Amino acid sequence: MKQFLKYKWIKYSAWTGITFGFCAILTTIIVTTHTQKFSRPYLYSDTIHRMPNCYTVMVLGASVHRNGDLSPILLDRVNSAIELYKAGKAKRFLLTGDHGSIDYDEVNTMKNHLIRMGIDSADIFLDHAGFDTYSSMVRAKEVF
């Protein structure tokens, strides 16, 4: 009798796992499809010249190395913003990121890179309290 109960428990657990896995996969497919459908009009991957003009390009922070170098993802973000600026698609930069301690500063590291690339410092605005994407977006709307 104990072996039968043990087998029944394993069978129940297996079906529960399969059901949970199926639901997780289905949810992922639905969310991905929904996101792609509604974000498609705002994605410009083929050419920069198709992008609409804007006054300010916002660059969200990412990690910086201890030696002052931008991480690869942050370097890509900043260089993409420079392309927009040089193509006349944006007039200003809003750099937002973590500057919560003296020894870690994403925004000034980005600013220094922009200046080294020939961007006028008068066109650069800094948000030192962009600790996450949500707070960066709220502060961009409410403060800047």
Side-chain angles (χ1 to χ4, degrees):
M1 185 73 168
K2 284 186 178 182
Q3 288 179 342
F4 177 74
L5 291 175
K6 185 177 182 182
Y7 174 74
K8 190 175 180 181
W9 181 82
I10 291 172
K11 188 176 177 182
Y12 174 76
S13 297
W15 279 112
T16 302
I18 290 169
T19 303
F20 178 75
F22 177 75
C23 289
I25 290 169
L26 186 62
T27 300
T28 302
I29 290 169
I30 290 169
V31 168
T32 301
T33 303
H34 178 78
T35 302
Q36 288 175 346
K37 178 182 175 185
F38 289 101
S39 65
R40 189 168 288 123
Y42 305 105
L43 300 177
Y44 301 93
S45 60
D46 56 346
T47 178
I48 199 168
H49 300 289
R50 286 190 50 234
M51 296 184 72
N53 292 343
C54 64
Y55 188 74
T56 303
V57 61
M58 182 176 178
V59 182
L60 298 171
S63 63
V64 295
H65 300 296
R66 290 192 181 275
N67 65 0
D69 290 342
L70 303 174
S71 65
I73 191 167
L74 186 56
L75 182 61
D76 185 54
R77 289 177 186 178
V78 174
N79 287 340
S80 296
I82 292 170
E83 284 183 53
L84 290 171
Y85 179 83
K86 289 187 175 180
K89 296 292 180 176
K91 298 178 186 295
R92 305 281 187 267
F93 295 87
L94 173 58
L95 309 177
T96 177
D98 188 357
H99 188 189
S101 66
I102 295 171
D103 59 340
Y104 188 78
D105 184 358
E106 293 174 358
V107 289
N108 281 307
T109 305
M110 288 187 281
K111 178 183 177 183
N112 293 338
H113 179 75
L114 288 172
I115 292 171
R116 280 194 306 272
M117 298 301 290
I119 306 298
D120 185 3
S121 63
D123 293 338
I124 303 170
F125 297 90
L126 306 178
D127 176 14
H128 295 274
F131 301 115
D132 55 48
T133 302
Y134 180 78
S135 62
S136 294
M137 295 300 168
V138 169
R139 289 176 55 76
K141 180 181 178 190
E142 301 295 330
V143 177
F144 295 96

